[in-house]
Amino acid sequence: MSDRSLPSHARVVIVGGGIMGCGLAYHLTQLGWSDVVLLEKAELTSGSTWHAAGQITHSTSSISLGKCVDYNIGLYSGGLEAETGQPVTWHGCGSLRLAYTADEMDWLAHTLSVGRALGFNIDLVDPAFIAGLHPFYNLDGVMGALHTPDDGHVDPSNVTMALAAGARARGARIIRRCRATNIIQMATGEWRVETERGPITCEHVVNAGGTYARQMGDWSGLQLPMTSMTHHYFVTDPVPEFASLERELPVIRDDKKVSGYIRMEQNRGLIGIYEKENPNSVWHDHCPWEAENELFAPDYDRVMPWLAESLNRMPVLADLGISRVVHGAISHPPDGNPLIGPAPGARNYWCCCGTQIGIGWGPGLTRELARWMVHGAADISMRDFDPRRFGSYATKEWQVEKAHEDYCLRHEIPFPHFNRQAGRPVKPSPLYERLKAKGAVFEEVYGWERPRWFARGSVEQRDQYGFRRTPVQDIVSDEVRAVRERVGLIDISAFTKVEVAGPDAAALLERLCANRLPRRPGGIALTHMLNRRGRIELEATVTRLAADRFYLVCAAFFEQRLLDHLAYAQDVYGMCTDIILRSNSHAALALNGPRAREVLAKCTDADLSNAGFRWMSMREITVAGHPAMAFRMSYAGELGWELHMENAAALNVYDALSETGKPHGIRDYGSFAMNTLRMEKAFKGASELTNEVTLAEADVLRFARSPHAYLGRQPPQTALPWICAYLEIDPDGIHDGHGGEAVLYKGKPVGSTTSITYSPTVDKILAFAYLKPIAAAPGTDLSVLIAGQPRPARVRADPAHDPDNTHPRTDAP
Ligand SMILES: Cc1cc2nc3c(=O)[nH]c(=O)nc-3n(C[C@H](O)[C@H](O)[C@H](O)COP(=O)(O)OP(=O)(O)OC[C@H]3O[C@@H](n4cnc5c(N)ncnc54)[C@H](O)[C@@H]3O)c2cc1C
């Protein structure tokens, strides 16, 4: 069949022939799916891809993106060209990320700690070293740089053509000049892709439409949040000083002064600017179908302060003319991360879009998407990229505002816990105003406003950023102590809450849960659900409300993932249940601490004794005159109850508990303290329980007691590639770590941290880390690279707090 004829059916149809679509075709065919058709409305690369500057760097503090980038550098610097014979024009010139301030130096030191875990060739270098590598850069005020010598840049069109050639050689059909005009799901579950040249049906459809992806999503009723931001780079006339160079200069990333990048483009200079204010977006309602290799007129006014500074930094470019301006569109999602994975609620519709760094991240991300489609799970944690991390609150207007914010942050320091403020609050809980008045500093999670901590004394009610410990740590430590010693109250309304009901409800959950379901009404079980590949999809608590009714609670950002998982199982096992979302109608509070029983007893007639209210059970009680489901369980590891109630009751219940708690020294606490409390108890969270690992690797097999053949159930693993270990690290009072740091055994990297926090209860830093088994036995001495420096650490056998778990079960009043 020629490249021009359209088949009537294919296993996969990919719409979009940029680097993302071609990358996916390449990797799907590599995994053996050859019945792949890629449709491109114009020529390959004619969207955003052709005009990209083509840089790629190891400078990232994301473990998942780091793995992608590393794979891509390998592919670009040898593998792809060798395989396909198509030149990709790789320039392995390395790069330097400059620092002018102590905060920037801290950022680079953290990036170094993560890069070491990934085995990158990466170092912190001083100004003398920089001057040696790059004699033309004005280093006034520069304190140091991150040097990543394996970085470079590539010709984006050539790379995309090479990926397409690889895919074609393995059977994929790439059909150019064929625009998809509609995508609809048929009653059979298959997808019908309508095109200018007729329809094509397929099992899987992929939206790789770049700046068109959002409007393509509209066809199928999907709200895919992304906005086309426009970005400039400038190419100068030839630079006489470059003529005698024996090697190419490294790419400079100057986040502070230039807010962008400067590199050589053959014998010319290339300057890219991400302006930090007044950014520009286009095509809010509609990206014109006829657009092809589209560029916009330059807008010098917008970028001038940074462009002028770039010439000050590179004086050899200052007197040269600009020979070419590239001002093109890039898709920015609300949080800057791409949309890679299943579309919300649409089985076998895959997103491969929203990628603002398509050349840097693309092949690695599309390899993972191909694995997800073929094997049922990716190999790296996709939590940050899963399109289902956004809900219906991500409206068109909201996401434009967020994309503008994201663009301006591109060259800002990515401080730990950076709290993006645009478009908020979008989903305040019923307690939002009350908690704000009490000093809450909120974070946004799946649209919800969740308190992080509560301002007190001289600490202002606003985020404080730094890679070093800030005064907020004292507040968080106080909140932790209040829960451990007295009693604390936290708004946990953001949790996902779903009811599953009907004659098939128990059978459905037995097919999904690795743990035994509670037998009696009121029983609670903590369980994991797995994907087809036997890796963790999510963790949830399942409470039996009746023989045929269950109440499921999981992390806020897994709402759609849980709904999709339940819907998938209904389909596959032919079961019929009612799945009722309670997240928006029900608020929730958690009351924790040794005085929790005394406080709650003042607001209810219910018997709260151990005999009357068993640990890990739920009862429907009345609190402050309102019906509530009370769950006796505690993520903090203390005596405690979670109270779930209709939204209208939440404020009264909260006020009553706060009032009766006063004589007991009750304290509001937030998610930062909650994280420390769970780490002190060695409870794993979403950073540990990912699609990257099995139950055995996460060391949670004790929760897999189901006698049933549940989805993803695996035979016992004989050898583990890694295991989740619990570490205690010596604190220095300054750097407490931020996750992703390299863990060293006998001086060699053996893994990386996932969660890490300072514990005021034991005055240690506590961490979870995935380690090679040789380094994971309790008692093993290790070191953890925090802020670039090795810090003594050891593997703990037991939780740092209450190892016998007596506190939550206490019968004390
Ligand atoms: C000035 C500039 C510099 C950049 N520099 C870099 C850089 O240095 N490094 C980096 O990593 N990234 C860079 N980028 C970003 C990079 O260009 C994008 O991230 C990347 O190209 C996105 O690829 P894509 O495949 O998602 O989208 P696209 O390349 O836009 O591909 C989407 C394709 O889908 C096709 N299509 C859409 N709708 C349909 C339909 N209905 N039917 C058929 N076909 C359809 C389009 O024609 C298009 O070809 C830069 C971007 C700009 C603007």
Side-chain angles (χ1 to χ4, degrees):
M1 189 174 285
S2 87
D3 250 15
R4 290 204 52 80
S5 55
L6 192 70
S8 60
H9 188 274
R11 185 171 203 174
V12 184
V13 172
I14 301 171
V15 184
I19 189 154
M20 298 304 290
C22 293
L24 183 64
Y26 176 87
H27 289 103
L28 281 174
T29 53
Q30 209 171 49
L31 291 180
W33 279 19
S34 55
D35 186 10
V36 172
V37 169
L38 183 148
L39 304 176
E40 167 54 51
K41 73 178 177 61
E43 297 297 333
L44 297 183
T45 79
S46 62
S48 292
T49 296
W50 71 279
H51 58 48
Q55 285 110 217
I56 175 164
T57 176
H58 271 138
S59 169
T60 171
S61 42
S62 154
I63 288 276
S64 288
L65 285 179
K67 287 177 181 174
C68 290
V69 164
D70 195 47
Y71 166 71
N72 297 347
I73 288 178
L75 200 66
Y76 295 163
S77 61
L80 189 57
E81 192 165 320
E83 177 197 333
T84 62
Q86 161 83 35
V88 302
T89 329
W90 170 250
H91 292 252
C93 55
S95 56
L96 292 160
R97 170 157 253 140
L98 305 183
Y100 294 84
T101 64
D103 278 335
E104 282 184 308
M105 287 300 287
D106 285 349
W107 165 30
L108 301 189
H110 176 60
T111 309
L112 178 82
S113 304
V114 177
R116 287 268 196 272
L118 292 163
F120 293 170
N121 189 4
I122 185 169
D123 244 318
L124 276 176
V125 295
D126 62 17
F129 186 94
I130 304 169
L133 267 186
H134 199 308
F136 301 110
Y137 211 79
N138 164 3
L139 295 175
D140 259 11
V142 170
M143 294 171 75
L146 193 72
H147 182 216
T148 38
D150 296 340
D151 291 1
H153 58 96
V154 78
D155 182 317
S157 298
N158 283 353
V159 161
T160 307
M161 295 303 174
L163 292 166
R168 257 196 215 102
R170 288 187 287 267
R173 266 168 291 171
I174 295 182
I175 303 180
R176 294 170 295 122
R177 300 270 163 215
C178 181
R179 174 159 70 86
T181 53
N182 203 359
I183 300 176
I184 1 176
Q185 193 161 28
M186 303 188 302
T188 56
E190 284 191 307
W191 292 90
R192 176 184 161 98
V193 181
E194 292 171 4
T195 81
E196 293 170 324
R197 293 201 231 146
I200 172 167
T201 56
C202 55
E203 204 181 312
H204 299 264
V205 65
V206 182
N207 181 341
T211 55
Y212 297 85
R214 198 183 68 208
Q215 71 205 48
M216 276 169 50
D218 289 346
W219 295 337
S220 317
L222 297 169
Q223 182 180 284
L224 304 179
M226 67 193 87
T227 294
S228 300
M229 305 298 302
T230 69
H231 164 59
H232 290 84
Y233 69 75
F234 304 87
V235 180
T236 68
D237 288 338
V239 187
E241 288 81 351
F242 288 174
S244 55
L245 285 178
E246 284 172 8
R247 54 166 178 79
E248 186 172 341
L249 297 168
V251 178
I252 295 264
R253 287 186 179 74
D254 186 330
D255 302 282
K256 188 171 178 60
K257 303 281 183 185
V258 173
S259 193
Y261 48 88
I262 304 186
R263 68 164 168 87
M264 286 172 69
E265 172 72 352
Q266 293 164 340
N267 61 345
R268 297 160 191 266
L270 184 152
I271 304 164
I273 307 288
Y274 275 84
E275 57 277 20
K276 291 185 197 280
E277 51 197 47
N278 301 322
N280 179 53
S281 55
V282 291
W283 304 325
H284 292 178
D285 292 322
H286 182 76
C287 187
W289 293 115
E290 62 283 5
E292 214 172 292
N293 299 82
E294 185 85 358
L295 290 181
F296 306 95
D299 182 350
Y300 283 98
D301 286 349
R302 225 170 75 218
V303 296
M304 194 40 87
W306 296 277
L307 185 58
E309 180 58 22
S310 69
L311 301 179
N312 173 32
R313 289 284 149 187
M314 275 287 278
V316 292
L317 306 182
D319 296 328
L320 301 175
I322 301 284
S323 62
R324 189 158 70 99
V325 180
V326 174
H327 182 201
I330 316 181
S331 284
H332 276 249
D335 59 1
N337 280 328
L339 302 178
I340 307 290
R347 194 149 158 228
N348 291 344
Y349 185 119
W350 301 88
C351 297
C352 184
C353 47
T355 312
Q356 56 162 306
I357 311 287
I359 318 307
W361 301 340
L365 287 172
T366 53
R367 177 172 67 160
E368 295 308 323
L369 181 58
R371 287 171 168 162
W372 204 338
M373 293 171 67
V374 173
H375 302 312
D379 275 12
I380 66 170
S381 170
M382 299 297 279
R383 189 182 74 173
D384 292 345
F385 319 134
D386 191 330
R388 299 168 298 179
R389 69 190 184 275
F390 299 106
S392 56
Y393 61 89
T395 59
K396 211 178 251 185
E397 299 69 34
W398 183 82
Q399 53 92 16
V400 169
E401 204 177 334
K402 296 300 281 185
H404 280 229
E405 176 185 50
D406 180 63
Y407 184 91
C408 294
L409 290 172
R410 180 86 211 122
H411 283 276
E412 288 291 349
I413 304 174
F415 282 114
H417 305 293
F418 189 81
N419 209 351
R420 295 179 177 217
Q421 298 294 342
R424 291 174 53 188
V426 61
K427 255 174 33 173
S429 93
L431 300 174
Y432 176 72
E433 291 299 339
R434 177 73 88 251
L435 300 180
K436 191 169 162 192
K438 291 180 84 174
V441 172
F442 295 91
E443 63 194 353
E444 182 249 304
V445 45
Y446 199 65
W448 294 103
E449 293 293 328
R450 181 170 70 180
R452 285 182 153 176
W453 51 276
F454 287 79
R456 283 214 161 187
S458 59
V459 180
E460 286 178 48
Q461 189 178 0
R462 62 176 176 82
D463 286 289
Q464 301 193 20
Y465 297 125
F467 285 82
R468 294 162 191 237
R469 200 182 275 190
T470 73
V472 171
Q473 180 58 56
D474 293 338
I475 299 248
V476 173
S477 295
D478 275 356
E479 290 179 6
V480 167
R481 275 185 218 105
V483 174
R484 292 275 178 248
E485 294 164 14
R486 305 188 307 274
V487 59
L489 187 57
I490 180 171
D491 179 7
I492 52 167
S493 302
F495 275 141
T496 295
K497 310 164 207 93
V498 171
E499 207 174 305
V500 180
D504 283 345
L508 179 78
L509 292 175
E510 276 165 358
R511 292 289 198 147
L512 288 180
C513 295
N515 209 347
R516 224 181 261 282
L517 289 186
R519 262 172 298 205
R520 284 182 302 196
I524 304 173
L526 179 72
T527 187
H528 302 90
M529 299 186 190
L530 308 182
N531 55 43
R532 282 196 278 136
R533 212 172 175 186
R535 298 182 183 173
I536 297 172
E537 185 73 6
L538 54 89
E539 183 192 51
T541 55
V542 177
T543 302
R544 189 163 211 143
L545 303 180
D548 58 355
R549 269 174 67 219
F550 294 85
Y551 186 74
L552 277 54
V553 177
C554 71
F557 48 81
F558 285 155
E559 180 174 295
Q560 189 62 45
R561 193 188 274 219
L562 174 61
L563 294 175
D564 285 356
H565 204 55
L566 292 168
Y568 169 80
Q570 290 206 115
D571 262 21
V572 170
Y573 303 120
M575 290 178 183
C576 183
T577 58
D578 290 328
I579 295 171
I580 310 147
L581 185 65
R582 299 280 187 218
S583 309
N584 301 325
S585 58
H586 282 61
L589 288 165
L591 182 75
N592 281 297
R595 310 259 179 89
R597 186 174 269 132
E598 291 162 272
V599 174
L600 185 56
K602 290 255 167 50
C603 303
T604 182
D605 292 335
D607 178 0
L608 302 177
S609 69
N610 270 2
F613 206 137
R614 283 179 306 111
W615 166 242
M616 288 302 276
S617 74
M618 187 283 300
R619 289 182 50 203
E620 297 191 24
I621 66 174
T622 300
V623 185
H626 297 277
M629 288 193 283
F631 301 76
R632 187 163 169 207
M633 59 186 187
S634 170
Y635 199 40
E638 295 296 337
L639 176 66
W641 281 266
E642 284 185 13
L643 303 169
H644 292 224
M645 67 220 96
E646 297 212 347
N647 284 340
L651 204 51
N652 282 351
V653 171
Y654 170 83
D655 285 344
L657 292 170
S658 296
E659 197 53 36
T660 56
K662 270 187 188 155
H664 301 279
I666 197 166
R667 176 112 181 217
D668 290 296
Y669 69 102
S671 62
F672 282 13
M674 184 163 83
N675 182 50
T676 304
L677 290 159
R678 68 101 188 172
M679 291 287 293
E680 291 179 345
K681 284 292 294 177
F683 292 154
K684 293 171 180 114
S687 302
E688 289 70 48
L689 305 172
T690 72
N691 64 274
E692 216 168 319
V693 295
T694 61
L695 296 174
E697 290 157 15
D699 195 19
V700 291
L701 263 183
R702 63 190 177 283
F703 296 106
R705 286 175 300 186
S706 168
H708 303 283
Y710 56 85
L711 178 71
R713 184 168 198 152
Q714 302 291 309
Q717 256 173 295
T718 45
L720 301 180
W722 51 10
I723 190 157
C724 190
Y726 182 51
L727 311 185
E728 171 188 291
I729 305 162
D730 295 347
D732 69 357
I734 302 168
H735 293 284
D736 294 324
H738 305 291
E741 290 89 358
V743 179
L744 313 177
Y745 174 59
K746 299 186 174 167
K748 298 245 164 56
V750 285
S752 60
T753 62
T754 47
S755 303
I756 187 164
T757 188
Y758 171 70
S759 157
T761 308
V762 293
D763 189 23
K764 293 281 181 200
I765 294 170
L766 300 172
F768 283 114
Y770 276 93
L771 302 182
K772 289 185 181 162
I774 190 174
T780 308
D781 285 324
L782 303 164
S783 51
V784 176
L785 217 53
I786 296 185
Q789 299 299 321
R791 196 82 69 76
R794 61 217 62 81
V795 181
R796 287 190 64 109
D798 296 324
H801 173 72
D802 187 23
D804 298 325
N805 209 25
T806 55
H807 291 212
R809 298 157 194 259
T810 176
D811 208 13

